[in-house]
Amino acid sequence: AAGPSDASPDEGVVEDLPLIDEKAVEQLTEGLISHYLPDLQRSKSALQELTQNQVVLLETLEQEISKFKECNSIVDINALFSEAKHYHNKLVNIRNEMMMLHEKTSKLKVSGINI
């Protein structure tokens, strides 16, 4: 024979629950949604605006970065031209020295022939 402790703890629970009114559940759901939906929509709108602002900011940053890259390349080009000018001056000096050496050797040859 089964005693009182043998009964299931869930026994009789279903019968104890009141019947759920579907219309009441629907009205409560609609009330809950109408309470939170405006705030959620405002949050969604604010997030979309922030996202758009971030996109604009990223595009602006990319443009600024490309400007800095252009500036750096201009600095590099200026350094290259400066270096080219320096080497050009060296070449002019070497040419002048070569012409002077040519004149001296020509004079030496002439004076060597006359001796």
Side-chain angles (χ1 to χ4, degrees), residues 8-23:
S8 169
D10 294 334
E11 193 174 307
V13 170
V14 174
E15 295 84 20
D16 293 345
L17 288 176
L19 292 176
I20 297 173
D21 183 2
E22 293 295 325
K23 187 171 183 176

Side-chain angles (χ1 to χ4, degrees), residues 61-96:
L61 281 174
E62 287 173 4
Q63 291 172 357
E64 292 299 316
I65 287 170
S66 67
K67 286 180 187 176
F68 279 117
K69 286 181 181 177
E70 287 175 21
C71 287
N72 284 340
S73 65
I74 288 172
V75 168
D76 292 342
I77 290 171
N78 287 337
L80 187 65
F81 277 116
S82 176
E83 192 175 351
K85 185 178 180 181
H86 173 73
Y87 283 113
H88 174 73
N89 289 336
K90 279 189 165 189
L91 285 172
V92 167
N93 289 338
I94 290 171
R95 183 176 143 248
N96 290 338

Side-chain angles (χ1 to χ4, degrees), residues 42-61:
R42 280 192 296 276
S43 296
K44 180 181 177 183
S45 176
L47 285 172
Q48 286 174 334
E49 186 178 342
L50 280 173
T51 303
Q52 289 171 347
N53 289 342
Q54 283 180 333
V55 168
V56 170
L57 182 62
L58 285 173
E59 289 172 354
T60 305
L61 281 174

